[in-house]
Amino acid sequence: MMMWSNFFMLEEDRRLGAAVGRRRAHGARKASMTPEHEGKIKLALLLTSVGATLAVLAVGTEFWVELNTYRDNGSAVCDAAHLGLWKMCTKRLWQADVPAGRDTCGPAELPGEANCTYFKFFTTGEDAHIFQRTTKKEVNLAAAVIAVLGLAVMALGCLCIIMVLSKGAEFLLRVGAICFGLSGLLLLVSLEVFRHSVQALLQRVSPEPPPSPALTYEYSWSLGCGLGAGLVLILGSGFFLLLTLPPWPWGSLCPKWGHRAT
C-alpha cells in the first residue's frame, strides 16, 4: 500500500509541475508583449476589421454594376438591372419615379417589379442573358473565385492576429500581415476581373430578335465597398508589418521614441 501511495503522490506532483510549467511559459509569452505593443496590435486589428466588414458586404451583395436602358421608349415603364458575383436582378420601373433630368432608367434602388435569379454557371454551367446580351461565364467565375479566395485568406489573417493576442505567438503577426495584404490584393484583382466581365457582357449582343436595347452602365455601391475593403486591408497589412520591425532602426532616428520602446 505504501508503494502505491508513493506512486500516486509522485504522479500527482508530476502533473502539478507540468501544469505550473505550462502556466509559467504562457505567462512568459504574455510578459514579452508590452501593453503598448498589444494596444497597437488591437488598433491595427480594428482597422482591418473595418476592411473585413466591407469585404463581406461587397461579396455578399449584388449591386456591383447597374445596367440601364434609355427612357425614351414611348412607354410609361422602363427596364433596369443590377448584378453582382452571384445574382442578377432585372427591374421594371415607372418612368414617373425616375429622377427628372435623367436620360436612363434607374437607379436600381427605386421600387418596381423585380425578378432576381442566381447565375446558373455555378451549377449547370449555363450563361446568363440580360437585355439580349450574354455573359461570359469564365470571366464571371474567375471574379467570384478570386473574391472568395480573398475572404478565406482574410479569415486566416484574423485567426493569426487572434492567436497573437490570446496566446502571445508574436511570430504569427508577420503571417497575419501577409494574409491581410494578400486578401486586399485578391479583392482588387476580383474587381478588375469583374470589370472585364461587364465589358464582355455589353459586347456579346444576341443576333436573335427582338433587337437588343441600347444600354448604359454604372458601377454601384457594392463595388465601392469592395474597393474600400481592398485598400483598407492593404493599409492594415502595412501597419502590422511595421509592428513586426525591431525598435532599434527607429531609435537611431528618434532617440526619445527608441528609449520608450526599449
Side-chain angles (χ1 to χ4, degrees):
M1 290 294 294
M2 183 67 67
M3 180 182 66
W4 285 109
S5 61
N6 290 337
F7 173 77
F8 286 121
M9 291 178 63
L10 290 174
E11 185 67 18
E12 186 67 22
D13 291 341
R14 186 184 65 82
R15 291 179 180 177
L16 290 175
V20 171
R22 286 194 297 269
R23 286 196 296 268
R24 287 178 178 175
H26 179 71
R29 287 195 300 266
K30 294 292 286 184
S32 64
M33 184 186 302
T34 62
E36 182 182 2
H37 189 60
E38 184 176 353
K40 292 176 181 178
I41 294 176
K42 289 181 178 179
L43 285 177
L45 182 60
L46 178 63
L47 176 64
T48 53
S49 66
V50 174
T53 303
L54 290 175
V56 173
L57 183 63
V59 175
T61 53
E62 62 275 3
F63 287 89
W64 283 52
V65 67
E66 295 182 11
L67 304 176
N68 303 312
T69 60
Y70 284 90
R71 297 178 62 184
D72 54 350
N73 56 7
S75 174
V77 295
C78 59
D79 294 320
H82 59 90
L83 60 147
L85 296 175
W86 321 102
K87 188 168 65 171
M88 67 173 181
C89 295
T90 57
K91 264 191 172 182
R92 179 153 291 181
L93 308 177
W94 291 100
Q95 298 233 26
D97 295 334
V98 178
R102 183 182 173 106
D103 296 330
T104 58
C105 193
E109 289 85 359
L110 290 175
E113 182 183 347
N115 181 22
C116 297
T117 57
Y118 285 94
F119 290 123
K120 292 183 179 180
F121 41 70
F122 294 108
T123 54
T124 61
E126 299 178 24
D127 279 306
H129 303 280
I130 309 171
F131 298 140
Q132 286 75 51
R133 289 167 171 84
T134 306
T135 59
K136 193 173 183 180
K137 62 182 179 181
E138 296 83 5
V139 185
N140 291 83
L141 277 171
V145 169
I146 293 172
V148 171
L149 185 60
L151 292 183
V153 177
M154 180 185 69
L156 181 60
C158 291
L159 181 61
C160 289
I161 302 304
I162 292 174
M163 291 293 292
V164 171
L165 293 174
S166 62
K167 302 297 183 181
E170 291 192 58
F171 67 93
L172 291 176
L173 189 61
R174 185 176 284 106
V175 179
I178 294 173
C179 288
F180 283 125
L182 181 58
S183 66
L185 288 175
L186 287 172
L187 285 174
L188 295 180
V189 171
S190 177
L191 297 182
E192 180 63 19
V193 175
F194 182 82
R195 188 182 70 85
H196 284 281
S197 73
V198 174
Q199 298 296 329
L201 171 65
L202 295 176
Q203 294 172 5
R204 303 184 71 186
V205 180
S206 174
E208 300 177 359
S212 59
L215 290 180
T216 62
Y217 71 95
E218 54 183 318
Y219 296 110
S220 191
W221 60 267
S222 293
L223 188 136
C225 289
L227 178 61
L231 296 178
V232 170
L233 288 172
I234 292 175
L235 183 62
S237 171
F239 285 160
F240 281 124
L241 285 176
L242 286 177
L243 292 176
T244 63
L245 295 177
W248 59 267
W250 311 106
S252 61
L253 298 176
C254 184
K256 292 183 179 180
W257 190 90
H259 180 70
R260 287 198 302 268
T262 55

